[in-house]
Amino acid sequence: MEPPDSSVQSPDLVSLELTVENVEKALQQLYYDPDMEHKNVAQKWLTQAQTSRQAWQFCWPLLSPDKLPEIQFFGASTLHTKISCHWADLPTDQHQTLRMQLLSHISHFSSGPKMVLTRLCVALASLALHTMPQGWPQAVADMVRVYQPEKAGDQGGSQGGVGVGGGGGAEEEVNANAHCLALLELLTVLPEEFQSYRLPQTRRAQLREALAGEWTAVCPLLRQLLQRQEGNSQVKERALRCLSSWVGLDVPLHGESEGLLQDCFAALSDPELFDTAVETIVSSISQPDCQRYTDALVNLMPLVLGLHDQLKAAARDGDMETSHGICRIAVALGETHSRTLLEQVEHWQGYLALVNMILFCTGIPGHYPVNETTSSLTLTFWYTLQDDILSFEEDKQVVYLQVYRPVYFQLVDVLLHKAHFPSEQDYTSWSSDDKEQFRIYRVDISDTLMYVYEILGAELLSNLYDRLGRLLMDTERPKAWQDTEALLFGFQAIAETIDVNYSDVIPGLIGLIPRISISNIQLADTVMYTIGSLAEWLADHPMMLGNVLPMVLQGLVKAELSVSSVSTLKRICRECRHDLAPYIHEIMTVSQDVLVKDIHKSSQCMWLMQGLGFLLSALPMEEILGSLTTLLTPHIQRLDTLAHQEPSPTAKLSIIHILGMLSSLFTTLDISRQDEGSEGTTPAQARPNPVVVVLQQVFTLIQTILSKWLSDSEVVEAVCGVFERSVKTLLNDFAPMVQQLSEMLGQIYSAFPQASALDLTRQMVHIFAGEKDHFSPIQALIELVTSTTLSIFQQGPREHPDIVESFMQLHAQALKRKSDLYLSDHQDVKALFYCGVLSLKFPETPTAKSACMFFMELVCHCGDIPPIGQVLQRDGKLLVHTILEIVGSQSLCCLTEHFSEVLFCLNRHCPVLLAQWLKEGLRVPGFPSAQVSMEQKDTFSQQLLREQTNKRRVKEIVKEFSLLCRGMQGTTGYSADY
């Protein structure tokens, strides 16, 4: 398409009639007008044109041979849109004519452009799905007959006849290939079109049966094309892709279909067809329905095993593509049909050979992902195999285990070898992406070892322990650190998920760990993670802590071991906190030292503080405050210094870091369990909680920080985070600070409204709104933040979606926990209602969702809270009409569900009013959409009002109405009209 003359002004499309010429003008504007606004106008006009009734007429001239490809493509796309979404508009007596026109045009466009041909094929596929089986009983057979090879040159173009066989000359041969490719394109898109649409269950079953019945016309054609010696590769490739499309319809694998699959294996010998043949074979044998054809699956095994030599050669030569493809085929057969093939006991040797072929793929030479990418394909197979073996009755299990346990022992060796790190020189040369893929690969190996344990049991741990012991005790023979690391990695993989408390080798392993000579970071990391994986075991055997805890503390002072050492110490503190009294001084000293020296990154410092919180929770009550003071004093002093400095980016980061450490510490410092287990001691409420004491001591300092950083949302969020974590952990023990914190929150929010302050307020409401002693400060706080937020709404809330979201969540929580708050004269329920209505219209999904939650809670109290009932009776119509407007125009599917829940609540609590509001709103012409008729709106209203108990059904009703309003009813699937 030639770009338009820049001096010519873009046409005013809004006023244009729907003619071929105007469609071409709009397409020119869409493709070549530099003004984005003009492009958008053109796009909208063209979309409307496609849905118009005139589109049935203007699409054909757009397909004229003299038109440009872009125009032809739009014509073909319009045809598809009309057939798929507006089929009911076409009179039945025109179905046959439309079919013949499409067949003819597909023939004419068989030589291209490809994009036009494909859209025409999709359009005809759509037509076939609308009319099968009654309107077009043998649709696929008719398509094949029209284009079949024997008809080469026998039919005129007017009937759409084409040839795919040989002809008298080069031109005929070219035409034959083009027509053949067009037929294959049509046959390929037909199942794809069927799979892509949502259909009623009965209609889907009917169409699936009809299409499966047409396979007898497709299969012989594909076999003929694949077996032709002189056929070009492009035709064979399309034939293979066509088969991939059809196997999704669960076509039978026996008879001629089995022969067709064997033809696909023959295609593997052609390098040009190898990749496509692999995809087709994998698609075919991965269909679960294939399990019905046991004999065919058994017959496939020799074909797959026949590829083993080719696989070995590819692995030897570093041919990753070939080894990858063959591996996919072997895994597809072995994994998808594992149980079926296991049950064929007379063919046990064949399946065992296939398992060993997959084992070879798992252990293929080279380091993943730099030298090979094949081994990862096999890992889920080993889970499937063990799962199927263990699902048999016990007597059969014994037999299978005798055969496959040796294979799984070999697998352990292979997996640990594949988990080996490369040499440090090679590893340094890897890209960061390669290193990350290798890390994920090792996680997958770790998961696989866990499944292997299900087969081998405790013998696996004994095997690993014996190998590690021999390796560490043999001082004469040089050993690579990778061998030690891989064995520890195996232990860690199993201990992370399997209960090893009763294993008799773990004490020996704990004894061996200190003997490991740690020579590099990877080995040190694995040592740390292995110790961490044994934390629960150490909690049951605390006398062994002294063997490994010194190593963890040594690692803690090294920045390069930050993640592994900190996470391991945190796990030990969590699991073994009641047994760490002999080591607490050493742990606290080392931890304080690394925190003060800033050895670790911020996130690891947070983890460490969480670990110390667990540790301090187990101390006697009288010792906690002293240890807490010692731990926090350097950081509080630093915070005090920062609080008196002029604001700067560096100071800000440091303040947020220290406040984050306090939050992390207070998240896990929980003495409530200690109180529950103690007898004869002073109850917790009679003595101040240590966390509360610390918070009261630093309260003035925090106020000083806020005085300088109040306008910085990140600092305010960090401050609120300290108190929010404390409230969540302490619950009612936080009571002494409710009054103090409520006043500070009110001051913060009044001066500079921020979402984090509202979130903390919501947490306070959740815990304390129902407490008589704290009702007054909570009520005053809510009224204050509400008044401030209402001012934001008056000024325009669009720039503050986070505040609006948190505000809606706050009132939803307040309504849920203490609806009496809304009996106050100071609480403007009407203003809140209007704020909620505005919030529903926000484009941000979380904000609109929060507004729906608010209204769901609000409606529930229309009967017991008079101000709410009055507002709802007076202004509920506005709420319902707003929801209808959003549902009918712009709502996302995920939001439609939440809007439907508000309507459901209204129907349960005030059905008479809802019926009235629906009637008043839906009788307005064109509301909520011009796409729906009055009859459809009446149906929607009746269906909705009928459902007062079935929330799921209400969601379906609203969703369908939303699609109807937006002209997308065709996306729910093809009708059963013929």
Side-chain angles (χ1 to χ4, degrees):
M1 183 181 291
E2 292 296 326
D5 186 344
S6 59
S7 64
V8 178
Q9 190 174 10
S10 295
D12 181 9
L13 294 174
V14 177
S15 59
L16 291 183
E17 294 182 23
L18 287 174
T19 64
V20 175
E21 293 75 15
N22 289 336
V23 169
E24 292 190 48
K25 289 179 182 178
L27 286 168
Q28 189 178 54
Q29 181 170 318
L30 176 66
Y31 283 113
Y32 294 110
D33 194 313
D35 190 316
M36 203 62 209
E37 187 175 341
H38 288 171
K39 287 179 178 288
N40 292 335
V41 171
Q43 176 71 50
K44 184 176 180 180
W45 190 87
L46 288 167
T47 301
Q48 291 173 344
Q50 282 188 316
T51 60
S52 69
R53 287 186 176 273
Q54 298 96 308
W56 289 109
Q57 284 75 45
F58 73 64
C59 60
W60 297 110
L62 296 176
L63 289 165
S64 298
D66 59 330
K67 301 296 183 184
L68 294 168
E70 292 88 344
I71 295 175
Q72 293 171 335
F73 178 77
F74 181 78
S77 296
T78 300
L79 261 176
H80 176 238
T81 299
K82 297 304 293 180
I83 294 172
S84 61
C85 299
H86 304 275
W87 180 250
D89 296 344
L90 189 70
T92 306
D93 58 5
Q94 294 183 23
H95 292 181
Q96 175 77 9
T97 302
L98 177 61
R99 182 206 310 175
M100 297 308 297
Q101 285 179 295
L102 280 169
L103 286 168
S104 176
H105 276 76
I106 288 172
S107 176
H108 288 310
F109 280 94
S110 61
S111 298
K114 176 67 163 60
M115 61 180 183
V116 181
L117 173 64
T118 299
R119 297 315 295 170
L120 288 172
C121 288
V122 172
L124 183 58
S126 181
L127 183 149
L129 293 175
H130 274 302
T131 54
M132 292 173 68
Q134 285 90 340
W136 195 358
Q138 296 181 317
V140 177
D142 287 348
M143 294 175 194
V144 174
R145 230 180 344 261
V146 168
Y147 298 100
Q148 63 185 322
E150 294 84 351
K151 299 287 184 180
D154 290 351
Q155 296 189 42
S158 60
Q159 299 179 28
V162 299
V164 296
E171 184 177 352
E172 289 188 17
E173 183 66 29
V174 170
N175 289 336
N177 283 329
H179 291 143
C180 182
L181 291 172
L183 172 61
L184 291 172
E185 181 74 12
L186 178 57
L187 295 178
T188 301
V189 300
L190 179 60
E192 292 172 351
E193 189 78 349
F194 168 75
Q195 300 286 13
S196 66
Y197 275 78
R198 290 175 50 208
L199 292 162
Q201 189 172 357
T202 53
R203 178 60 178 157
R204 175 169 288 277
Q206 183 187 39
L207 271 178
R208 181 182 288 276
E209 182 181 356
L211 286 170
E214 300 274 14
W215 175 242
T216 54
V218 178
C219 184
L221 172 67
L222 298 182
R223 289 210 69 185
Q224 175 190 349
L225 295 174
L226 287 175
Q227 291 177 355
R228 286 174 58 188
Q229 299 298 320
E230 74 282 3
N232 67 35
S233 295
Q234 189 179 14
V235 169
K236 291 186 176 182
E237 182 183 6
R238 294 287 181 84
L240 290 168
R241 294 188 187 279
C242 184
L243 173 57
S244 293
S245 181
W246 278 83
V247 293
L249 299 176
D250 301 329
V251 296
L253 195 60
H254 59 68
E256 192 163 14
S257 299
E258 186 179 345
L260 178 58
L261 201 53
Q262 292 173 358
D263 294 335
C264 295
F265 274 89
L268 290 170
S269 60
D270 186 339
E272 292 185 30
L273 299 176
F274 180 83
D275 290 340
T276 308
V278 168
E279 292 291 341
T280 302
I281 293 169
V282 170
S283 297
S284 301
I285 62 181
S286 295
Q287 300 299 321
D289 192 61
C290 292
Q291 294 175 0
R292 293 186 297 159
Y293 310 107
T294 305
D295 291 342
L297 293 174
V298 170
N299 293 337
L300 283 177
M301 278 200 296
L303 294 174
V304 177
L305 293 173
L307 302 172
H308 203 166
D309 289 340
Q310 187 180 356
L311 171 66
K312 290 178 181 178
R316 183 182 63 247
D317 299 337
D319 184 352
M320 293 173 62
E321 288 76 12
T322 300
S323 58
H324 197 85
I326 295 175
C327 175
R328 287 185 61 200
I329 293 172
V331 170
L333 180 61
E335 184 176 334
T336 309
H337 309 291
S338 172
R339 186 178 181 90
T340 302
L341 294 173
L342 281 169
E343 290 173 336
Q344 311 311 307
V345 291
E346 66 276 15
H347 299 285
W348 70 272
Q349 290 175 312
Y351 188 59
L352 178 61
L354 179 63
V355 171
N356 279 308
M357 181 177 175
I358 296 173
L359 181 63
F360 175 85
C361 295
T362 306
I364 204 159
H367 276 104
Y368 182 95
V370 175
N371 309 116
E372 62 92 7
T373 56
T374 298
S375 57
S376 62
L377 301 175
T378 67
L379 299 182
T380 54
F381 163 77
W382 299 109
Y383 162 73
T384 302
L385 180 59
Q386 67 86 25
D387 193 51
D388 286 334
I389 289 174
L390 297 180
S391 69
F392 284 109
E393 298 81 4
E394 189 172 344
D395 55 335
K396 289 185 178 179
Q397 268 189 46
V398 172
V399 176
Y400 287 121
L401 288 173
Q402 285 179 344
V403 175
Y404 290 102
R405 272 174 63 90
V407 178
Y408 271 87
F409 272 114
Q410 293 179 57
L411 176 63
V412 172
D413 293 340
V414 168
L415 291 175
L416 293 182
H417 179 74
K418 295 298 292 184
H420 270 53
F421 278 91
S423 68
E424 293 186 51
Q425 182 179 356
D426 288 344
Y427 192 65
T428 304
S429 68
W430 283 16
S431 68
S432 57
D433 184 55
D434 288 338
K435 290 178 180 178
E436 175 61 13
Q437 286 191 54
F438 182 61
R439 184 194 67 79
I440 296 171
Y441 176 66
R442 279 170 53 98
V443 171
D444 293 339
I445 288 178
S446 173
D447 293 340
T448 307
L449 285 169
M450 178 183 69
Y451 305 137
V452 171
Y453 182 86
E454 298 295 327
I455 288 282
L456 302 182
E459 195 174 345
L460 171 57
L461 290 176
S462 299
N463 178 281
L464 294 175
Y465 173 70
D466 291 342
R467 292 170 61 180
L468 181 63
R470 289 195 300 271
L471 193 65
L472 295 177
M473 296 301 183
D474 188 352
T475 56
E476 296 181 2
R477 188 167 49 179
K479 49 184 173 287
W481 64 266
Q482 288 93 336
D483 296 331
T484 304
E485 192 277 337
L487 290 168
L488 282 176
F489 171 77
F491 268 113
Q492 177 214 338
I494 297 165
E496 285 285 3
T497 49
I498 303 296
D499 183 4
V500 295
N501 282 358
Y502 303 103
S503 172
D504 55 1
V505 304
I506 302 302
L509 174 62
I510 296 292
L512 285 175
I513 286 177
R515 301 178 63 93
I516 297 173
S517 175
I518 298 178
S519 55
N520 74 346
I521 294 172
Q522 287 82 21
L523 178 56
D525 271 335
T526 303
V527 168
M528 292 296 153
Y529 287 129
T530 303
I531 295 172
S533 69
L534 297 173
E536 290 185 29
W537 186 90
L538 289 168
D540 292 333
H541 304 83
M543 72 291 296
M544 304 297 286
L545 280 165
N547 286 44
V548 293
L549 196 54
M551 296 183 72
V552 177
L553 295 178
Q554 289 170 19
L556 198 64
V557 301
K558 299 176 181 178
E560 61 271 21
L561 299 179
S562 180
V563 175
S564 59
S565 61
V566 171
S567 63
T568 296
L569 181 61
K570 177 185 171 182
R571 294 179 72 170
I572 290 175
C573 289
R574 183 182 64 209
E575 303 296 338
C576 310
R577 60 184 126 177
H578 299 294
D579 303 299
L580 290 174
Y583 315 101
I584 192 166
H585 176 72
E586 188 177 2
I587 294 173
M588 293 296 293
T589 300
V590 175
S591 299
Q592 288 171 233
D593 186 53
V594 299
L595 288 170
V596 170
K597 292 180 178 178
D598 288 331
I599 289 177
H600 302 295
K601 292 180 180 179
S602 184
S603 56
Q604 277 73 58
C605 290
M606 307 305 155
W607 295 356
L608 183 53
M609 291 300 268
Q610 288 175 10
L612 297 178
F614 288 123
L615 182 65
L616 293 174
S617 299
L619 286 178
M621 193 65 186
E622 58 275 10
E623 295 181 21
I624 294 178
L625 186 57
S627 299
L628 200 55
T629 303
T630 303
L631 173 64
L632 294 179
T633 295
H635 307 291
I636 301 299
Q637 290 174 346
R638 172 67 176 149
L639 194 61
D640 186 56
T641 302
L642 293 165
H644 292 88
Q645 291 179 0
E646 287 302 312
S648 68
T650 304
K652 173 183 171 178
L653 290 175
S654 299
I655 290 171
I656 293 174
H657 173 73
I658 295 171
L659 291 173
M661 288 201 298
L662 291 176
S663 298
S664 298
L665 179 66
F666 297 157
T667 300
T668 56
L669 209 169
D670 182 9
I671 63 170
S672 58
R673 294 177 184 174
Q674 192 181 96
D675 292 329
E676 291 169 4
S678 59
E679 296 181 7
T681 58
T682 306
Q685 57 266 33
R687 57 178 182 246
N689 189 293
V691 173
V692 173
V693 173
V694 172
L695 287 174
Q696 289 173 330
Q697 290 173 352
V698 301
F699 199 82
T700 304
L701 174 57
I702 287 176
Q703 288 179 310
T704 303
I705 292 171
L706 287 173
S707 66
K708 290 189 175 184
W709 293 91
L710 190 57
S711 62
D712 191 298
S713 61
E714 292 178 272
V715 174
V716 173
E717 184 176 351
V719 168
C720 292
V722 173
F723 291 103
E724 187 173 1
R725 300 282 184 87
S726 303
V727 171
K728 285 182 178 179
T729 304
L730 301 182
L731 301 178
N732 290 326
D733 281 357
F734 191 81
M737 293 202 69
V738 171
Q739 179 76 40
Q740 211 175 359
L741 181 57
S742 296
E743 292 174 359
M744 188 185 82
L745 269 176
Q747 294 166 3
I748 291 174
Y749 196 75
S750 299
F752 201 91
Q754 297 189 40
S756 55
L758 289 173
D759 294 336
L760 177 53
T761 301
R762 176 164 52 90
Q763 196 63 40
M764 297 273 284
V765 168
H766 178 68
I767 304 296
F768 297 108
E771 300 288 332
K772 182 179 179 181
D773 294 341
H774 304 298
F775 181 79
S776 180
I778 294 296
Q779 183 181 35
L781 175 59
I782 286 185
E783 290 175 357
L784 181 58
V785 300
T786 299
S787 175
T788 303
T789 310
L790 290 178
S791 299
I792 294 176
F793 272 90
Q794 289 171 353
Q795 297 164 11
R798 187 62 201 91
E799 300 301 317
H800 308 282
D802 56 335
I803 290 178
V804 174
E805 177 188 346
S806 296
F807 184 64
M808 290 290 105
Q809 289 176 346
L810 167 62
H811 279 283
Q813 184 67 258
L815 284 162
K816 191 173 186 177
R817 296 291 293 176
K818 193 66 175 174
S819 58
D820 291 354
L821 289 164
Y822 298 86
L823 293 170
S824 169
D825 294 335
H826 301 290
Q827 195 67 271
D828 192 342
V829 178
K830 181 178 180 180
L832 276 176
F833 183 91
Y834 278 93
C835 289
V837 171
L838 286 174
S839 303
L840 288 172
K841 298 181 179 181
F842 270 61
E844 289 82 5
T845 298
T847 306
K849 180 180 176 182
S850 298
C852 290
M853 292 169 55
F854 163 71
F855 277 115
M856 284 177 345
E857 295 295 338
L858 187 83
V859 171
C860 291
H861 292 287
C862 65
D864 58 339
I865 305 296
I868 294 177
Q870 293 164 10
V871 168
L872 196 61
Q873 188 155 9
R874 184 174 59 248
D875 299 312
K877 176 182 174 181
L878 174 64
L879 171 62
V880 172
H881 288 195
T882 300
I883 291 175
L884 290 176
E885 179 185 359
I886 299 171
V887 165
S889 59
Q890 61 200 31
S891 68
L892 300 172
C893 289
C894 58
L895 279 179
T896 301
E897 179 176 318
H898 297 292
F899 291 128
S900 67
E901 290 185 346
V902 179
L903 294 173
F904 179 75
C905 288
L906 286 166
N907 200 24
R908 291 196 65 179
H909 295 279
C910 42
V912 176
L913 287 172
L914 177 61
Q916 178 185 336
W917 297 330
L918 285 172
K919 183 178 180 181
E920 292 176 3
L922 293 176
R923 73 183 178 190
V924 177
F927 179 85
S929 166
Q931 303 267 11
V932 286
S933 65
M934 290 301 299
E935 291 78 13
Q936 290 170 322
K937 290 193 281 188
D938 288 341
T939 301
F940 164 69
S941 180
Q942 292 168 12
Q943 289 178 333
L944 183 64
L945 293 170
R946 194 181 302 130
E947 299 294 341
Q948 292 189 344
T949 57
N950 192 337
K951 186 185 294 186
R952 181 186 61 79
R953 177 59 185 145
V954 170
K955 291 179 181 179
E956 292 174 355
I957 292 168
V958 176
K959 182 178 180 181
E960 291 298 324
F961 184 67
S962 176
L963 292 172
L964 201 65
C965 288
R966 288 177 282 162
M968 299 173 64
Q969 67 271 28
T971 60
T972 60
Y974 290 109
S975 67
D977 299 332
Y978 312 123

